[in-house]
Amino acid sequence: MKQTIYNRLCFFLLLAVCSSCYKDKGNYDYHPINEVTIQAIDTAYAVLRGDSLHIVPRKTFSLSSNPEDAYTYAWIAVNDSSKTLATTPELHEPVMLMPDNYELYYRITEKATGIKYEFKTELHVMTGIYEGWLLLNDQGNDNPRLDMLSKNVSGDFNFISDVLNYARSPLQLSGKPRSVQVIRYRNNNPDVLIGTSTGTTRIDPETFDWNRTMNVLYDMPRNTPADFAPDRLNHQYGITYLVDKGDLYYRNPPYSIMFAQPLNVVRMETGKFSVSPFVAVSMFSYSLLYDITNKRFLRHSVESFAPYCELMPESPDFDYNNTGMDLVYMERTEYNEFDVFSILKKPSGEFYLSRIYLFFDTEYETAPVRMNAPELDKASCYAVNPDYGYVFYSVGGKLYEYDFSSNQAKLKLDISPRVISCLQTQYMEAEKEPLKSLRKTLAVCSYDPGGPAGKSGRIDFYAATAVMGDLQLRRSFSGMGKVISMDYRGR
């Protein structure tokens, strides 16, 4: 009897399940979604801060058009944080974001279903001084001038004479101009540093604003002389070496090393030596410097807290601890990744080229080679090509190219009566035009001594070619003065 009741219960239960399954078939009623496709938005926009940005999207629907009030809208700029620019179908708003690169999202939400549609583009908010080459001019009157080739919203460049005045900066430059550099000096954001014979100072990289505490003297120990004015600022990877009147100062924030007493002393030796303004900075192990007093290369551990330099390891090819020569020029390059090129001069007048490979430790190439280079004794500017290792030097309006592998030099340009005032290899990062084709080019800055004062300057960008072929002119700009230093403020 119990078995019969159990069987009947199982039957009715199975019948109920089957019935419910059969009824469930009618619960699904699929409706196609009226999908929205967003078009007519460019992949990137550039706008000056304060100007209005106008974007008129075009919406298409997979089924039929819906009225605009069936949706909500949002234009959202995203960087380290997000900011809603507008909540309208179209964007017609002045952009007051801080100058930087943003991701701009156009978001549409259907009110009835909550379904969201989104389109992403790029937004570059700029100012008149947002990006470009900074050019330090020598006006010959202890009144240097900072100019700028400023990148505009179309991607080309506008020339701005006296950009500090243009930006209403309170900084008044004085003394003999020495350098302008864009470096990561205090943190990961670029700083603009300007050096003259009266001192070196930072300016605000966004506005060019300035106050006296931005002078690097305020980063130095308290006993630093008030007339502290570095001859040269050597920088790489956040590491900074300052050379002032033969004294060497070192700063390495990642290792919590700040400027302290001069370190131009050698361990186990007494007395200070005078160091050359040129320092080849390395982030790995050792930087390279030159002892003017004892005519020798020395090295300094970038990871060391010890306030001294070290002798070079012995080399079978050359005594780097006693060269008997004066250092004329030294530059850390990208040639062979980390080669340091040094031009040395014997008392008898011969010039030698030394190449030292600088990486995790100091390794040596062959002994310095006597350079077969005409008029090198009259040269005023130098630069090294990172692809072929050519050494460029200028004499008046002449540009020479020296190849160490053949030990030959060629006259590549003669733009006399113009005078070449600065040579600089372009190491800026550039993945897009118009800068991409200028990367690793040689910037040749020249001026006409008989031309209009402060306006006869020109910058020509040349690309070197294999086997010392002809230089290829990539771009020219004019209107500046006598440029003695330049650097690119990138983004």
Side-chain angles (χ1 to χ4, degrees), residues 45-49 79 97-102 122-134 148-158 160 163 166-167 182 190 192 204-208 435 487-491:
Y45 292 88
V47 63
L48 290 176
R49 186 172 188 263
N79 192 345
L97 298 169
M98 291 302 295
D100 211 336
N101 297 323
Y102 297 82
E122 296 178 4
L123 175 61
H124 308 291
V125 182
M126 307 170 67
T127 65
I129 55 174
Y130 177 75
E131 178 178 354
W133 280 281
L134 295 169
M148 186 173 187
L149 283 168
S150 177
K151 189 176 181 182
N152 56 37
V153 293
S154 66
D156 209 344
F157 295 89
N158 298 328
I160 302 175
V163 70
Y166 171 88
V182 182
V192 177
D204 187 287
E206 299 293 350
T207 65
F208 290 3
L435 294 177
D487 205 358
Y488 193 83
R489 199 301 189 211
R491 294 286 177 170

Side-chain angles (χ1 to χ4, degrees), residues 43-58:
T43 57
Y45 292 88
V47 63
L48 290 176
R49 186 172 188 263
D51 285 357
S52 292
L53 179 61
H54 301 280
I55 305 178
V56 182
R58 185 174 69 250

Side-chain angles (χ1 to χ4, degrees), residues 130-204:
Y130 177 75
E131 178 178 354
W133 280 281
L134 295 169
L135 315 170
L136 186 60
N137 290 261
D138 183 356
Q139 301 194 100
N141 54 4
D142 284 349
N143 184 27
R145 190 183 79 203
L146 187 69
D147 294 342
M148 186 173 187
L149 283 168
S150 177
K151 189 176 181 182
N152 56 37
V153 293
S154 66
D156 209 344
F157 295 89
N158 298 328
F159 174 68
I160 302 175
S161 178
D162 194 357
V163 70
L164 293 178
N165 181 61
Y166 171 88
R168 298 182 181 179
S169 172
L171 176 62
Q172 298 289 325
L173 297 176
S174 62
K176 301 295 183 185
R178 288 178 174 168
S179 67
V180 57
Q181 292 175 275
V182 182
I183 61 176
R184 301 184 187 279
Y185 175 70
R186 297 177 69 88
N187 49 47
N188 287 329
N189 296 319
D191 271 310
V192 177
L193 282 89
I194 306 172
T196 73
S197 59
T198 61
T200 297
T201 186
R202 294 181 294 112
I203 59 175
D204 187 287

Side-chain angles (χ1 to χ4, degrees), residues 198-484:
T198 61
T200 297
T201 186
R202 294 181 294 112
I203 59 175
D204 187 287
E206 299 293 350
T207 65
F208 290 3
D209 195 10
W210 175 84
N211 62 67
R212 62 187 181 89
T213 64
M214 300 173 84
N215 192 304
V216 297
L217 180 62
Y218 284 80
D219 297 326
M220 306 303 295
R222 291 185 178 181
N223 60 348
T224 304
D227 63 347
F228 179 77
D231 301 306
R232 188 176 177 89
L233 187 153
N234 304 271
H235 182 88
Q236 195 74 252
Y237 311 114
I239 300 170
T240 303
Y241 289 88
L242 294 178
V243 179
D244 175 64
K245 304 175 188 67
D247 286 334
L248 180 68
Y249 300 86
Y250 169 61
R251 186 173 185 270
N252 188 350
Y255 282 83
S256 300
I257 301 173
M258 299 296 114
F259 290 126
Q261 72 261 38
L263 51 82
N264 45 306
V265 294
V266 175
R267 186 179 183 183
M268 306 302 290
E269 293 184 359
T270 59
K272 293 197 304 182
F273 61 87
S274 289
V275 65
S276 165
F278 302 103
V279 179
V281 186
S282 173
M283 69 177 295
F284 308 106
S285 191
Y286 293 102
S287 293
L288 194 68
L289 56 135
Y290 197 80
D291 174 355
I292 297 174
T293 304
N294 301 291
K295 301 184 187 301
R296 59 184 177 178
F297 286 94
L298 295 171
R299 62 183 189 172
H300 174 256
S301 172
V302 299
E303 301 172 357
S304 173
F305 287 85
Y308 54 74
C309 299
E310 302 176 20
L311 296 175
M312 300 285 281
E314 292 186 2
S315 167
D317 298 312
F318 186 70
D319 187 358
Y320 286 88
N321 292 302
N322 183 22
T323 70
M325 295 186 278
D326 294 320
L327 180 69
V328 176
Y329 180 76
M330 182 163 67
E331 177 186 342
R332 179 192 176 277
T333 75
E334 288 187 359
Y335 179 78
N336 194 31
E337 291 185 330
F338 299 100
D339 270 16
V340 175
F341 281 63
S342 304
I343 299 177
L344 302 160
K345 183 181 180 181
K346 279 193 170 183
S348 54
E350 297 92 350
F351 289 87
Y352 286 78
L353 178 68
S354 166
R355 290 191 299 123
I356 299 177
Y357 181 71
L358 203 63
F359 195 48
F360 284 101
D361 205 343
T362 308
E363 302 177 11
Y364 305 100
E365 303 295 328
T366 57
V369 176
R370 181 178 176 181
M371 300 175 69
N372 179 24
E375 296 194 280
L376 187 55
D377 59 320
K378 303 174 186 176
S380 58
C381 304
Y382 309 86
V384 178
N385 176 267
D387 290 326
Y388 305 107
Y390 302 145
V391 177
F392 290 99
Y393 62 95
S394 66
V395 179
K398 299 177 183 177
L399 177 68
Y400 288 93
E401 180 183 81
Y402 170 80
D403 177 24
F404 67 83
S405 61
S406 64
N407 197 16
Q408 296 293 324
K410 288 184 179 180
L411 178 63
K412 309 300 291 189
L413 295 173
D414 189 350
I415 56 175
S416 304
R418 301 187 67 83
V419 176
I420 296 173
S421 57
C422 175
L423 297 175
Q424 184 174 301
T425 303
Q426 301 302 296
Y427 284 116
M428 72 275 191
E429 297 179 3
E431 298 179 357
K432 298 179 181 179
E433 296 297 352
L435 294 177
K436 184 177 180 180
S437 59
L438 299 183
R439 175 159 163 73
K440 296 187 179 180
T441 58
L442 176 69
V444 179
C445 305
S446 65
Y447 71 101
D448 183 356
K455 298 180 180 180
S456 69
R458 191 178 75 212
I459 304 177
D460 301 312
F461 294 88
Y462 290 96
T465 56
V467 294
M468 300 184 75
D470 293 339
L471 297 178
Q472 297 178 350
L473 179 63
R474 293 284 175 84
R475 193 73 191 269
S476 292
F477 298 96
S478 61
M480 57 287 304
K482 179 183 176 182
V483 177
I484 58 92

